[in-house]
Amino acid sequence: MAEPTALDLRADVVALTAALVDIPSESRHEARLADLVQAALAAEDHLEVTRVRNNVVARTVLGRDSRVLIGGHLDTVPSAGNLPHHFDGAELFGLGSCDMKGGVAVMLHAAAALTRPDRDVTYVFYECEEIEETANGLRHLAETSPELLAADFAVLMEPSNAQIEAGCQGTLRAVVTTHGRRSHSARAWMGHNAVHEAAEILNRLAAYEPAEVEIDGLTYREGLNAVGIQGGIAGNVIPDRCEVTVNYRFAPDQDIPAAKRHVEEIFEGFPVAFVDEAPGALPGLTVPAAREFISVIGRPPAPKFGWTDVARFAALGIPAVNYGPGDPAFAHAPDEHVPVEQIRACAGTVTSWLS
Ligand SMILES: [Zn+2]
């Protein structure tokens, strides 16, 4: 099947999703899709369009007293042989259908349909969400042109089964180390076994009771877990070192320093080295734009446990939620798909919210 050569923003939103799926856009290869998105949006008189690398920002400039931002990434993970798209019953299958070309189609549909929205709207299409954080297009915009991201409230159209997922938990990884003394295993009493010593770390993890934290009526479930363990030198050596890697997922009312202090307290007596961290994001459901959005959807929001780019908006002082078509459990899967009816539901919600 030939790839589309232009995007028709007034086509049916499901057909638009299918067209987007058929334009490959693996991370770092978004240029062609970004070109088509830019060209289609630039043809709309009511939008001001800016391109920064393969990031496309389209804004209404109506002088409204509030502005909302709707964001979505253009890239996908590498193909799993799941192109072009196909339909099976009420589902649209294909690479990126769920994560997140259904959401991108909703954005493009809304951008064309909402010529006089009741709030100003900024649509942000960005590159490189699926790869290392330093390449992330939203991060690049935040660093180089933060004025393009200015808004009172942001909706990220990541797959969330067409319901609002608010905030996101923070995450950090730490390596907890035990030290012993090496010796021949035939004379174990001459040494001190660092792997045995790790039992105490594992005991503390097993006994740990993760907190459930309520914020804005949402319950965030934390977690502290071993995600790796490394130790041992040879089959006849008492090991002198063992490393347990732990991952702490924490509710967004805790900042990184507080989360680190907590982990250090749990593993008191052991050296703890932090290797990776990302802050959470408070749900921010109390701002007026968020309250209106929730009332249009008519279903209570759910907490977001994974980390997403909503935290980036939180860092800019912009409350943000995830809301998009598709079950996130199918993101990145070879049988990735999105329910057609969820694409339509999201398109209807976004347009009636801002009409
Ligand atoms: Zn995604």
Side-chain angles (χ1 to χ4, degrees):
M1 197 188 128
E3 280 175 33
T5 53
L7 294 172
D8 178 2
L9 305 189
R10 284 177 180 75
D12 173 68
V13 67
V14 175
L16 184 54
T17 306
L20 292 171
V21 169
D22 290 346
I23 303 163
S25 59
E26 186 182 330
S27 307
R28 300 196 192 283
H29 301 277
E30 302 94 334
R32 207 180 110 64
L33 179 55
D35 289 348
L36 294 176
V37 165
Q38 181 184 11
L41 294 169
E44 301 290 334
D45 289 341
H46 63 286
L47 295 173
E48 275 187 19
V49 180
T50 310
R51 167 96 170 237
V52 182
R53 295 186 181 174
N54 288 324
N55 307 295
V56 180
V57 180
R59 307 165 78 238
T60 65
V61 192
L62 298 165
R64 306 281 195 245
D65 36 322
S66 102
R67 176 176 289 278
V68 299
L69 184 151
I70 306 180
H73 59 84
L74 295 173
D75 60 323
T76 70
V77 295
S79 168
N82 47 354
L83 283 178
H85 80 277
H86 72 274
F87 287 95
D88 189 351
E91 317 277 342
L92 166 58
F93 283 76
L95 176 65
S97 53
C98 169
D99 188 10
M100 55 172 285
K101 289 185 172 175
V104 170
V106 170
M107 291 170 64
L108 289 170
H109 171 85
L114 291 165
T115 53
R116 311 255 336 140
D118 64 356
R119 304 165 186 276
D120 272 311
V121 189
T122 302
Y123 305 90
V124 179
F125 303 85
Y126 61 101
E127 63 176 345
C128 293
E129 190 272 346
E130 300 286 8
I131 53 171
E132 66 272 15
E133 199 270 335
T134 48
N136 186 294
L138 203 53
R139 172 186 162 137
H140 181 72
L141 289 173
E143 284 172 359
T144 60
S145 340
E147 69 285 353
L148 288 176
L149 302 182
D152 302 298
F153 177 59
V155 177
L156 210 54
M157 302 233 50
E158 288 282 353
S160 64
N161 275 313
Q163 69 163 324
I164 298 180
E165 291 184 336
C168 82
Q169 299 215 117
T171 178
L172 63 79
R173 269 186 309 133
V175 176
V176 188
T177 305
T178 64
H179 294 284
R181 194 168 56 253
R182 226 184 256 215
S183 75
H184 197 298
S185 61
R187 287 176 295 278
W189 62 88
M190 310 276 294
H192 181 87
N193 195 316
V195 171
H196 293 191
E197 207 58 34
E200 172 60 17
I201 295 172
L202 301 181
N203 285 339
R204 290 188 199 177
L205 284 167
Y208 183 79
E209 290 187 17
E212 295 192 359
V213 181
E214 195 175 310
I215 306 167
D216 286 0
L218 304 176
T219 304
Y220 291 88
R221 297 185 60 175
E222 297 193 337
L224 179 66
N225 289 282
V227 292
I229 186 161
Q230 203 165 28
I233 295 151
N236 56 0
V237 178
I238 300 297
D240 60 353
R241 182 183 178 90
C242 183
E243 294 181 346
V244 181
T245 302
V246 298
N247 178 219
Y248 181 36
R249 298 278 169 159
F250 50 95
D253 62 336
Q254 246 190 126
D255 62 10
I256 297 268
K260 285 182 171 173
R261 276 197 302 279
H262 180 67
V263 171
E264 282 168 343
E265 275 165 30
I266 297 295
F267 299 110
E268 212 208 311
F270 295 97
V272 175
F274 295 100
V275 291
D276 190 28
E277 62 194 47
L282 287 165
L285 298 177
T286 48
V287 301
R291 280 206 301 263
E292 282 179 31
F293 187 51
I294 294 165
S295 76
V296 172
I297 291 181
R299 270 197 292 169
K304 181 76 184 171
F305 295 115
W307 196 90
T308 79
D309 274 332
V310 297
R312 230 177 274 286
F313 288 107
L316 294 168
I318 305 169
V321 299
N322 290 293
Y323 171 76
D327 181 341
F330 291 106
H332 307 184
D335 62 343
E336 177 169 359
H337 60 274
V338 59
V340 162
E341 147 270 320
Q342 285 190 9
I343 302 173
R344 293 195 200 286
C346 289
T349 301
V350 170
T351 44
S352 60
W353 171 42
L354 296 170
S355 288

